[in-house]
Amino acid sequence: MTFRQWEKAFKKRLSRLPGEERERALDYYAELYGDKLDAGNSEREIVRGFGDPKAAADKIVAEWAESSSAQSRATRPRTAGDTAARAAVAVLLFLFVGLPLLAVVFCLAAAGAALLVSGFAAILAGIAYDAYFLVQLCMYGGAAYVAHIGIGLATAGAGALLVPLFLCCTKWLFIGCGKIFVLTGRIVSGKREAY
Amino acid sequence: MDAQLKKGLLDVCVLAVLRRGESYGYKIIADIAPYIEISESTLYPILKRLEISGAVTAHSREFNGRLRKYYAITEKGQRRILEFVEDVKEFERIYEFILQGGNV
């Protein structure tokens, strides 16, 4: 393959580039060819060193596309269409991601709160139960009431034992809810950035 | 060598060559090649990127009846080399840390 043939194939493959970029790339290789020729290399050696013209062109086109895309992301002014698109995406994300996640988080938080309350409720229920049957015992006497008092004490005791565990579970549930919020926020802001 | 790492290194290598004085494509490749692998297709986007970022300037001059593009380093390019040197110092500290198996 001669350099002219190489250059022709190279130029054809660069057709995707704007005119100025294409001329710049062609000038670059033409200059290199001239310098290598002056340095004593043969045309065949030079062309072999340049490699496949299509591959060389594809590399240049890929770099140009990447840098153009990065520049347009950085400098593209917002248009009304962009704002409307972003608003539409935000609404859809809120409806199909945000709302269900809020519902899940609310339910988890409610479960956590209920768990915390249940331990104390068991204690209070046990105490109330004891109080009632203590009064009954005082008024009417009887072993049955003593048994009931025992049950109340056991309930209060179980509640007291479970409160720390429930406290821990509630804490982790609320931490989990917080993490879900943060993750959702990241997903939503990531999607918005893409637009 | 990792492709992204090499890409960053090549940018600075080109700037280092230009720090000695203005140069052109073929000579830049010849000066860098003994130290790190570089091809014509690799140099082109590097020069373009450096020019766009303001690290180098380019101008054409006639040579042997044809035009040759010469590149010269700018203040920004000089600062980029200094930043790279600082990065390497930090890299050396991390390298020592890794070499010692994560022990301080």
Side-chain angles (χ1 to χ4, degrees):
Chain A
M1 187 189 270
T2 65
F3 176 67
R4 290 289 162 237
Q5 288 169 329
W6 188 95
E7 198 181 34
K8 193 176 171 185
F10 180 65
K11 187 177 180 180
K12 192 176 174 184
R13 198 72 171 184
L14 289 177
S15 59
R16 290 169 276 171
L17 289 180
E20 198 181 311
E21 290 296 326
R22 196 166 53 242
E23 286 308 311
R24 184 190 180 127
L26 287 166
D27 288 344
Y28 172 79
Y29 274 95
E31 181 194 309
L32 274 175
Y33 174 73
D35 284 333
K36 287 192 164 201
L37 216 54
D38 287 346
N41 297 290
S42 68
E43 184 178 23
R44 179 175 277 196
E45 279 170 353
I46 297 168
V47 168
R48 191 167 51 238
F50 283 173
D52 176 33
K54 290 177 187 173
D58 286 347
K59 200 168 175 178
I60 289 172
V61 171
E63 289 273 356
W64 174 82
E66 197 185 309
S67 67
S68 294
S69 152
Q71 270 185 319
S72 76
R73 269 201 305 273
T75 62
R76 194 165 71 102
R78 279 192 192 183
T79 63
D82 286 347
T83 311
R86 263 197 291 271
V89 167
V91 166
L92 284 172
L93 277 173
F94 178 72
L95 283 177
F96 295 106
V97 177
L99 271 181
L101 270 170
L102 267 174
V104 166
V105 166
F106 179 75
C107 290
L108 280 172
L115 208 56
L116 184 66
V117 165
S118 63
F120 291 108
I123 295 171
L124 284 172
I127 292 170
Y129 198 82
D130 275 346
Y132 173 74
F133 282 100
L134 201 57
V135 169
Q136 294 289 313
L137 183 68
C138 292
M139 284 172 66
Y140 304 109
Y145 294 120
V146 175
H148 278 292
I149 290 169
I151 291 167
L153 282 170
T155 309
L161 282 172
L162 286 172
V163 158
L165 172 67
F166 288 167
L167 206 60
C168 203
C169 292
T170 306
K171 183 184 113 181
W172 283 110
L173 268 170
F174 279 120
I175 287 172
C177 291
K179 285 188 176 173
I180 292 173
F181 263 121
V182 168
L183 184 63
T184 310
R186 277 189 197 150
I187 292 170
V188 169
S189 58
K191 290 275 181 236
R192 285 179 66 196
E193 260 186 47
Y195 285 88
Chain B
M1 187 187 285
D2 178 67
Q4 284 299 321
L5 177 63
K6 190 176 173 184
K7 196 174 170 183
L9 284 176
L10 283 173
D11 283 18
V12 184
C13 285
V14 169
L15 290 172
V17 164
L18 295 177
R19 197 160 66 159
R20 297 199 300 251
E22 66 174 23
S23 190
Y24 51 96
Y26 175 71
K27 186 144 188 334
I28 292 171
I29 293 173
D31 287 341
I32 292 176
Y35 301 97
I36 186 169
E37 194 187 327
I38 182 168
S39 65
E40 290 82 5
S41 61
T42 309
L43 181 64
Y44 176 81
I46 292 173
L47 289 172
K48 192 174 161 210
R49 193 165 52 239
L50 291 174
E51 198 179 343
I52 289 171
S53 69
V56 305
T57 55
H59 63 275
S60 295
R61 263 205 324 260
E62 201 179 306
F63 176 83
N64 277 0
R66 54 186 174 86
L67 280 179
R68 187 191 259 171
K69 203 167 187 180
Y70 288 84
Y71 298 88
I73 193 169
T74 63
E75 280 290 323
K76 194 171 179 181
Q78 300 272 11
R79 275 198 305 273
R80 181 96 177 264
I81 295 176
L82 292 173
E83 282 164 12
F84 172 79
V85 169
E86 288 306 311
D87 286 346
V88 168
K89 284 178 187 166
E90 195 175 330
F91 182 76
E92 274 174 352
R93 281 197 293 274
I94 298 169
Y95 171 76
E96 285 300 318
F97 171 72
I98 293 169
L99 215 59
Q100 285 162 20
N103 295 319
V104 176

